Amino acid sequence: GAGVSQSPSNKVTEKGKDVELRCDPISGHTALYWYRQSLGQGLEFLIYFQGNSAPDKSGLPSDRFSAERTGGSVSTLTIQRTQQEDSAVYLCASSWGLAFRETQYFGPGTRLLVL
Amino acid sequence: AQSVAQPEDQVNVAEGNPLTVKCTYSVSGNPYLFWYVQYPNRGLQFLLKYITGDNLVKGSYGFEAEFNKSQTSFHLKKPSALVSDSALYFCAVRPQTGANNLFFGTGTRLTVIP
């Protein structure tokens, strides 16, 4: 079946511009995660959505970052007033349900470059 | 605090030889443990996980990992390496309660030499 998809695959923007990154989770998965993969820093958790519950935003690095999930499916991560340090690969993952044992399945990522 | 250590940034192994990629973890309570592989310009691909039960977990592509509670380790192994196994490998941990997210190691780059 279809996996997690993300768009765009690459995004180049100028410092100070806003960007939107999109994630389509696996159909039926109620949990959705955003992570950031920076060179030399591994994967960093950003935000978690589960069904209709309030999202866990504990990983967002600043108030320039926000995310929403419409209709319990597609999610958009927005970065306002981008900075060069925002350059990274942004990965989305989804999983079944609430159980912490569930496997997270990752999309191919969006590579963001802020000039 | 939860954390994962992958002590080797780079592992080189000859094709056909056994491979080991090391992972140790620190977590409050019992862990769920995962291994993922990342090929160039691709997302993370799930390999295997330890939830409970047998300490030896078998996963995709002939990989396996052994959970060792006393040593807080979850090393990834394969009896005979293939050139196509060359990739970046990530170990991750999730506590059974508390944090919603996975905590990842910094990754180990595996190179299998023909």
Side-chain angles (χ1 to χ4, degrees):
Chain A
V4 178
S5 61
Q6 293 186 245
S7 60
S9 54
N10 291 280
K11 176 72 177 178
V12 180
T13 191
E14 294 178 350
K15 178 182 173 181
K17 302 274 189 176
D18 297 353
V19 295
E20 286 189 351
L21 313 179
R22 177 188 168 102
C23 172
D24 280 273
I26 293 172
S27 178
H29 280 191
T30 59
L32 187 147
Y33 309 78
W34 284 97
Y35 293 86
R36 178 168 69 175
Q37 184 177 18
S38 305
L39 200 61
Q41 293 191 27
L43 282 95
E44 171 190 10
F45 165 71
L46 296 176
I47 189 168
Y48 161 71
F49 295 91
Q50 170 56 48
N52 295 320
S53 301
D56 174 359
K57 304 179 182 179
S58 60
L60 294 178
S62 77
D63 58 8
R64 295 186 296 104
F65 288 73
S66 63
E68 62 178 20
R69 189 178 186 192
T70 54
S73 181
V74 171
S75 177
T76 301
L77 177 68
T78 301
I79 309 173
Q80 295 179 309
R81 305 180 303 281
T82 52
Q83 303 295 311
Q84 289 182 330
E85 61 263 28
D86 299 334
S87 296
V89 177
Y90 290 81
L91 293 166
C92 176
S94 69
S95 69
W96 292 107
L98 281 168
F100 283 8
R101 65 177 60 195
E102 298 295 344
T103 299
Q104 295 180 27
Y105 295 93
F106 284 78
T110 293
R111 189 174 300 271
L112 175 66
L113 178 61
V114 182
L115 301 176
Chain B
Q2 279 61 243
S3 66
V4 175
Q6 294 182 242
E8 300 158 317
D9 291 336
Q10 174 81 42
V11 170
N12 297 327
V13 63
E15 185 177 22
N17 281 3
L19 70 86
T20 298
V21 183
K22 295 180 180 177
C23 171
T24 59
Y25 66 90
S26 174
V27 69
S28 303
N30 292 318
Y32 295 132
L33 293 155
F34 301 79
W35 274 102
Y36 286 85
V37 60
Q38 186 176 36
Y39 296 99
N41 299 314
R42 303 283 295 276
L44 274 69
Q45 183 173 337
F46 170 70
L47 279 179
L48 51 80
K49 67 181 178 183
Y50 171 79
I51 301 300
T52 188
D54 287 344
N55 290 339
L56 184 64
V57 179
K58 294 187 183 295
S60 307
Y61 313 118
F63 284 94
E64 59 188 28
E66 186 165 12
F67 171 60
N68 187 318
K69 188 172 184 177
S70 63
Q71 297 185 4
T72 61
S73 68
F74 190 55
H75 301 330
L76 181 70
K77 299 183 179 185
K78 187 174 181 180
S80 178
L82 300 173
V83 173
S84 58
D85 293 331
S86 298
L88 188 58
Y89 290 80
F90 289 95
C91 180
V93 67
R94 189 176 192 180
Q96 291 190 10
T97 59
N100 291 311
N101 54 290
L102 290 170
F103 294 85
F104 284 88
T106 51
T108 297
R109 185 164 301 282
L110 173 69
T111 300
V112 181
I113 303 164

